[in-house]
Amino acid sequence: MTRNYLIAGNWKMNLTATESAALAKEVVQLVSQNSSVDICVSPTFTALDAVSRMVNGSQVSLGAQNMHQEVSGAYTGEISASMLESLEVDYVILGHSERREYFGETDSLVNQKTVAALQAGLKPIVCVGETLEQREADQTIAVIQSQVEGGLASLGADCADSLVIAYEPVWAIGTGKTATPEMAEAVHAEIRAMLTGLMGESAAQKIRILYGGSMKPENADELLAQANIDGGLIGGAALKADSFISLIDSAAKQSN
Ligand code: PGA
């Protein structure tokens, strides 16, 4: 079966609008026209407009790094789903561990945002992952289970085409430490089983489960070869066009 990988860049709080547009331009130029891989770049909010213009009509989709759960109103400093939609945003990263750790996002908030994103026609990339302390205390699966069940509460099988999950062990993010392909695959398989329990087998097979946490050209082949790893959510290696393209090439190789 041909797999439909997704390689998603998360540029975090890096690059101005001008710098983001320049990076997006490079990526668009280097991506082959008929790439079998779905590709997305997620600049910071202030760069979405510039990057949107740059990727328009290309193989590259646009993602945002967060959004507010309400449709509109008195929420100073926040951004709604429809504001993202108006800039042709396709994907939105929700519940990233940095949002959970520094901004107090809970599973219930992630759930509200996920529901709102789906209602607005966006594709949520819902992030889950354990800390080093939790892994060492043998709590990995319990933590992931409560994040998956809490974050996806009340969602049905009809969201399977839009929903994406990203497994990002917190201890591997930006640290250069990667989960071994076996460690990552073990958790991905558990997540697939949780999705089966929540939404049924056929929905669970359709939902893409990305790996994130120091994915780079040197380890991508092995990670993407795992049965339940359907792509990557990439931070550091997405900030340079050549390494990002190399990850897309790795995914393309696996899908052929
Ligand atoms: P990293 O970040 O690739 O720099 O580890 C991944 C992420 O936080 O999404």
Side-chain angles (χ1 to χ4, degrees):
M1 192 178 90
T2 328
R3 292 173 73 185
N4 182 217
Y5 285 93
L6 170 62
I7 296 293
N10 174 10
W11 295 353
K12 307 194 179 182
M13 197 175 72
N14 294 295
L15 310 178
T16 63
T18 309
E19 290 163 348
S20 297
L23 176 56
K25 184 175 183 183
E26 259 190 282
V27 170
V28 166
Q29 283 169 344
L30 291 168
V31 163
S32 71
Q33 261 314 307
N34 296 310
S35 175
S36 54
V37 177
D38 288 343
I39 304 155
C40 145
V41 293
S42 317
T44 192
F45 288 128
T46 52
L48 281 172
D49 189 24
V51 173
S52 181
R53 289 166 208 270
M54 207 50 92
V55 301
N56 184 23
S58 79
Q59 295 272 126
V60 181
S61 301
L62 187 59
Q65 299 173 18
N66 182 27
M67 57 167 250
H68 195 270
Q69 66 276 18
E70 296 297 337
V71 170
S72 64
Y75 300 100
T76 301
E78 292 294 330
I79 311 274
S80 72
S82 64
M83 293 170 186
L84 299 180
E85 287 249 273
S86 71
L87 295 176
E88 316 283 338
V89 170
D90 212 10
Y91 293 91
V92 59
I93 300 168
L94 296 176
H96 189 282
S97 63
E98 289 150 15
R99 303 277 335 152
R100 294 175 188 262
E101 186 181 350
Y102 306 130
F103 304 97
E105 293 203 3
T106 60
D107 292 331
S108 144
L109 182 65
V110 174
N111 180 243
Q112 291 174 48
K113 292 185 178 199
T114 305
V115 170
L118 287 164
Q119 267 166 6
L122 294 167
K123 298 183 180 123
I125 302 178
V126 178
C127 304
V128 297
E130 81 288 1
T131 62
L132 185 57
E133 212 179 16
Q134 290 164 335
R135 174 162 283 267
E136 285 173 347
D138 246 346
Q139 291 168 346
T140 299
I141 299 308
V143 167
I144 304 292
Q145 180 145 17
S146 67
Q147 291 175 338
V148 168
E149 289 178 0
L152 307 184
S154 84
L155 297 184
D158 53 337
C159 69
D161 288 323
S162 304
L163 182 65
V164 180
I165 307 291
Y167 168 56
E168 301 204 301
V170 177
W171 47 272
I173 296 177
T175 57
K177 287 188 197 140
T178 328
T180 63
E182 295 73 25
M183 276 159 88
E185 171 59 16
V187 179
H188 280 236
E190 293 278 357
I191 295 173
R192 188 85 65 199
M194 292 169 201
L195 294 172
T196 305
L198 290 174
M199 299 180 191
E201 170 82 31
S202 103
Q205 291 301 328
K206 278 194 222 157
I207 297 172
R208 285 184 286 196
I209 309 174
L210 314 183
Y211 170 79
S214 301
M215 190 187 262
K216 45 188 180 250
E218 300 79 56
N219 58 27
D221 281 351
E222 268 193 309
L223 285 162
L224 294 170
Q226 304 302 311
N228 288 289
I229 300 186
D230 307 314
L233 180 56
I234 295 113
L239 288 171
K240 292 266 176 305
D242 55 352
S243 49
F244 189 58
I245 295 294
S246 153
L247 299 177
I248 296 166
D249 290 344
S250 285
K253 250 190 319 191
Q254 298 291 340
S255 57
N256 290 329

